[in-house]
């Protein structure tokens, strides 16, 4: 509860900072929403030429794309903006500020900065998920919704762990900012169903870097296309990579 209160305090402070420049905040929301809409248009154009992508229909892809946007948005609201600036804190000598506080320095450096403007992407994501379910004429079961929620938070844990692992290069190199692009490209792989990958790439994105559980599995659970046992696999994958990130 102590950590939850601290996070909510940081969230409140960051919202106040954003609203101090209200026009800039509203402009940021609009730009983010337009960017997300462009992704939706890309998917729509693609399905004007193909009936499905490796068994994923247009409604299925709308759900997947919506989840991709939602995971992206929530990651900015939880940790992404803070973890991204670790290299700057180290190069400026400001990281010591976090080490002397009477609380986990990992937690503090992970939540102190929150980009609330990115909430617009989450709203577009919710809309695409709903549109996809309507077009698929599918009403998720209670178990499917519960499984999706659990898998979704597992996805956030996986994204957090991956970003934190990658950003640890900042402790050895002043070029740590370049590691942000590596994380972006990894996350971009989850914009499409992981079933499109074959061979070594599929092994990497399922067993080594578990991107399979970021959007593909949550979407399949919501659409009722996989069994509930995948919830357990998602929990194990998230727990395993969190442990690796914490150890590093």
């Amino acid at each position: 509860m102590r950590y939850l209160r601290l996070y909510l305090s940081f969230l409140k402070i960051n919202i106040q900072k954003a609203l101090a420049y209200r026009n800039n905040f509203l402009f940021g929301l609009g730009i983010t929403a337009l960017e997300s809409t462009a992704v939706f248009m890309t998917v729509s154009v693609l399905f004007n030429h193909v009936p499905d992508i490796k068994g994923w229909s247009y409604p299925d892809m709308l759900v997947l794309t919506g989840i991709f946007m939602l995971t992206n948005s929530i990651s900015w609201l939880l940790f992404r903006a803070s973890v991204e600036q670790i290299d700057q804190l180290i190069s400026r000598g400001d990281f010591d500020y976090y080490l002397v506080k009477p609380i986990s320095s990992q937690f503090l450096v992970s939540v102190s900065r929150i980009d609330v403007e990115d909430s617009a992407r989450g709203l577009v994501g919710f809309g695409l998920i709903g549109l996809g379910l309507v077009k698929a004429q599918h009403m998720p079961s209670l178990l499917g919704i519960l499984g999706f929620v659990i898998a979704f938070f597992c996805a956030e844990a996986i994204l957090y762990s991956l970003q934190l692992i990658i950003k640890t290069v900042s402790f050895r190199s002043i070029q740590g900012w370049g590691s942000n692009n590596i994380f972006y490209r990894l996350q971009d792989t989850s914009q499409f169903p992981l079933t499109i990958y074959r061979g070594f790439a599929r092994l990497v994105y399922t067993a080594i870097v578990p991107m399979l559980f970021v959007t593909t599995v949550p979407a399949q659970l919501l659409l009722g296309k996989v069994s509930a046992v995948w919830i357990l696999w998602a929990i194990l994958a998230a727990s395993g990579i969190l442990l690796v990130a914490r150890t590093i």
Side-chain angles (χ1 to χ4, degrees):
M1 292 304 297
R2 179 190 182 197
Y3 284 90
L4 177 60
R5 287 195 299 269
L6 279 170
Y7 167 75
L8 293 176
S9 295
F10 280 119
L11 179 61
K12 179 181 178 181
I13 291 169
N14 279 272
I15 290 174
Q16 291 172 337
K17 286 170 61 178
L19 292 178
Y21 303 93
R22 190 160 300 176
N23 290 337
N24 183 67
F25 173 66
L26 294 175
F27 181 75
L29 286 176
I31 290 297
T32 303
L34 285 174
E35 176 196 349
S36 303
T37 304
V39 176
F40 159 66
M41 292 175 64
T42 301
V43 173
S44 297
V45 169
L46 178 63
F47 275 89
N48 283 332
H49 301 280
V50 296
D52 65 85
I53 298 178
K54 200 68 176 180
W56 287 71
S57 65
Y58 178 55
D60 295 343
M61 278 299 298
L62 288 179
V63 173
L64 183 87
T65 304
I67 293 173
F68 170 76
M69 292 181 184
L70 190 57
T71 55
N72 202 337
S73 176
I74 297 300
S75 69
W76 282 106
L77 292 173
L78 289 177
F79 59 84
R80 189 165 172 175
S82 288
V83 177
E84 197 172 81
Q85 66 175 354
I86 288 178
D87 56 286
Q88 299 173 34
L89 296 174
I90 295 172
S91 62
R92 293 198 307 258
D94 294 338
F95 196 79
D96 290 350
Y97 167 84
Y98 296 87
L99 298 176
V100 298
K101 297 298 179 182
I103 195 171
S104 168
S105 55
Q106 179 181 332
F107 172 81
L108 194 58
V109 81
S110 298
V111 302
S112 57
R113 179 185 167 191
I114 299 170
D115 279 3
V116 293
E117 295 90 347
D118 215 79
S119 56
R121 182 178 284 109
L123 296 177
V124 176
F126 269 121
L128 287 183
I129 292 172
L131 180 62
L133 291 174
V134 169
K135 283 184 173 293
Q137 297 181 340
H138 175 72
M139 176 62 70
S141 65
L142 185 60
L143 180 60
I145 295 174
L146 178 61
F148 164 73
V149 171
I150 295 173
F152 180 83
F153 283 104
C154 288
E156 291 298 333
I158 290 170
L159 289 175
Y160 168 70
S161 301
L162 285 173
Q163 187 179 20
L164 190 62
I165 290 170
I166 292 170
K167 289 302 291 185
T168 54
V169 71
S170 303
F171 289 94
R172 297 295 181 183
S173 171
I174 60 173
Q175 299 294 329
W177 58 269
S179 60
N180 293 332
N181 292 326
I182 299 175
F183 176 71
Y184 294 157
R185 300 294 78 79
L186 273 176
Q187 188 174 17
D188 285 345
T189 62
S190 66
Q191 189 174 346
F192 297 97
L194 266 292
T195 51
I196 67 173
Y197 297 101
R198 296 181 179 180
F200 182 71
R202 190 164 185 172
L203 174 66
V204 169
Y205 293 139
T206 54
I208 301 174
V209 183
M211 300 306 294
L212 174 70
F213 298 97
V214 175
T215 56
T216 301
V217 169
Q220 289 176 322
L221 286 167
L222 196 60
L223 290 165
K225 295 195 172 185
V226 292
S227 66
V229 72
W230 281 95
I231 302 173
L232 176 60
W233 284 115
I235 294 172
L236 290 175
S239 301
I241 198 166
L242 268 174
L243 180 61
V244 171
R246 177 65 176 171
T247 301
I248 293 177

